[in-house]
Amino acid sequence: MRLRRCGDDAVLVEVDSLGEVEAVRAAVAAAGLPDVVDLVPAARTVLVVTRPGGLPAVRGVLAAADLVHHPGAEGDDVVLPVRYDGPDLDLVAETAGLTTAEVVELHTGADYRVAFCGFAPGFAYLTGLPGPLRQPRLDSPRTSVPAGSVGVAGEFTAAYPRATPGGWRLIGRTDAPLFDPRRAAPALLTPGDRVRFEAVR
C-alpha cells in the first residue's frame, strides 16, 4: 500500500489488485469516520477526501487495514433483467468455444460485485466474470453504444447507463434505470453492491 498526498485534505491509496482496492474502500467505509466526505475506488487506487484535519484518522484506519482477509463492506443486492440479444453475443460464444445459450448460462450464473464506477455517470465495473467470458475489447470501438447495453471486456462486465462510444463486446441489454440525476441516489449501482443478471425475453 502506497499513500500519495493529494492537496491538503485527500490521500490517494495505491494498491496492487482489485481485491485490495475493495479492502481499502471497505475498511474506510466501515470505520464511519465523520470527516470523510468522499471515497472513490478505481482499478488500483482509492481516493479518500476529508474535511480539514481528517487525514490522520484515515491514516490510522489504513495502517490497521487487513488487505488480505478483509471481508468487505456490505452493499445492496441488485438484480438486472437482461435480454441476451447483443450484437456480439455470437462473437463472445465463438471466442469462448461455447454456444450462445452457454454464454447466457455463465453470465447469469455468476455473482458480481461493483468494484468501482467511472467512464460515465452510473457506469459500474463489475467483477466476478467467469473465465471463458473474459475477452478483449473490440478492435474498433463503436461510436455509439445504446443505453442499457450489457457488455464484457477483460475481467469486467457492465451495463451502459446512457449512449456513449465504447469498445466492449455487447451480449445483451437491460431496461434497468442505471442512472437518473433526479433520484436522491442517481446511480443504481455503487461500489460494494452485489449484482446478478437475470435472463428475460
Side-chain angles (χ1 to χ4, degrees):
M1 181 190 308
R2 296 162 298 282
L3 306 184
R4 298 190 183 277
R5 191 77 175 258
C6 294
D8 293 333
D9 304 307
V11 63
L12 186 70
V13 185
E14 296 181 339
V15 292
D16 297 323
S17 69
L18 278 169
E20 292 180 350
V21 166
E22 170 58 15
V24 168
R25 184 201 68 78
V28 175
L33 301 176
D35 288 331
V36 171
V37 296
D38 206 358
L39 188 58
V40 186
R44 295 292 184 269
T45 62
V46 181
L47 178 68
V48 187
V49 183
T50 72
R51 295 184 179 91
L55 284 183
V58 171
R59 291 179 182 275
V61 169
L62 295 174
D66 183 347
L67 301 190
V68 177
H69 301 107
H70 199 286
E74 290 299 313
D76 292 334
D77 291 307
V78 182
V79 177
L80 298 181
V82 176
R83 289 182 297 280
Y84 285 91
D85 57 1
D88 303 317
L89 181 60
D90 289 338
L91 172 63
V92 170
E94 181 181 355
T95 302
L98 302 170
T99 66
T100 56
E102 289 170 330
V103 169
V104 174
E105 184 178 359
L106 273 179
H107 196 254
T108 57
D111 294 318
Y112 303 95
R113 184 177 288 269
V114 179
F116 57 95
C117 297
F119 172 63
F123 191 100
Y125 290 77
L126 308 180
T127 58
L129 188 66
L133 304 185
R134 298 182 181 189
Q135 301 184 13
R137 288 170 168 78
L138 298 173
D139 292 335
S140 297
R142 294 178 170 90
T143 57
S144 182
V145 173
S149 295
V150 175
V152 297
E155 62 187 304
F156 301 109
T157 187
Y160 285 73
R162 62 180 184 176
T164 58
W168 291 38
R169 297 185 179 197
L170 306 180
I171 60 174
R173 53 199 167 99
T174 181
D175 292 328
L178 298 167
F179 186 81
D180 184 346
R182 298 166 296 185
R183 292 190 305 232
L188 177 63
L189 303 176
T190 58
D193 285 352
R194 295 172 300 275
V195 181
R196 287 191 309 103
F197 292 97
E198 182 178 84
V200 297
R201 293 186 179 277

